[in-house]
Amino acid sequence: MSPDKMIYMANQIATFFNSQPDADKAEKVAGHLNDFWDPRMRQQLLDHVARGGDGLDPVVIEAAKKVHEPVD
């Protein structure tokens, strides 16, 4: 997937959870990513965050700490 598409999709998830009253938005975003993104998508996100996370919502960057790294 293109980096722009991945950033867009991750930020859409953050936008949704940012509108919710729950306190731990990063936990909710991470849960969604772990449940619905395939391992390649999660790895792409984690690699992008490791390079600085340009363009990502701060909640996505925080959520990345709780995203399961794919196992080979």
Side-chain angles (χ1 to χ4, degrees):
M1 156 181 356
S2 77
D4 289 339
K5 174 110 175 151
M6 182 269 304
I7 291 166
Y8 176 77
M9 290 173 61
N11 285 342
Q12 279 187 309
I13 296 164
T15 297
F16 172 76
F17 286 110
N18 279 331
S19 71
Q20 303 300 306
D22 295 78
D24 198 351
K25 294 165 187 359
E27 182 73 33
K28 300 286 188 180
V29 170
H32 182 91
L33 296 172
N34 287 322
D35 289 345
F36 299 107
W37 280 31
D38 74 35
R40 293 169 297 174
M41 293 168 68
R42 291 194 319 268
Q43 189 62 59
Q44 184 180 13
L45 174 70
L46 293 172
D47 292 346
H48 186 73
V49 170
R51 291 189 302 272
D54 288 347
L56 289 171
D57 185 291
V59 172
V60 176
I61 294 172
E62 183 64 27
K65 297 173 186 174
K66 300 173 184 182
V67 169
H68 302 147
E69 195 154 345
V71 181
D72 290 332

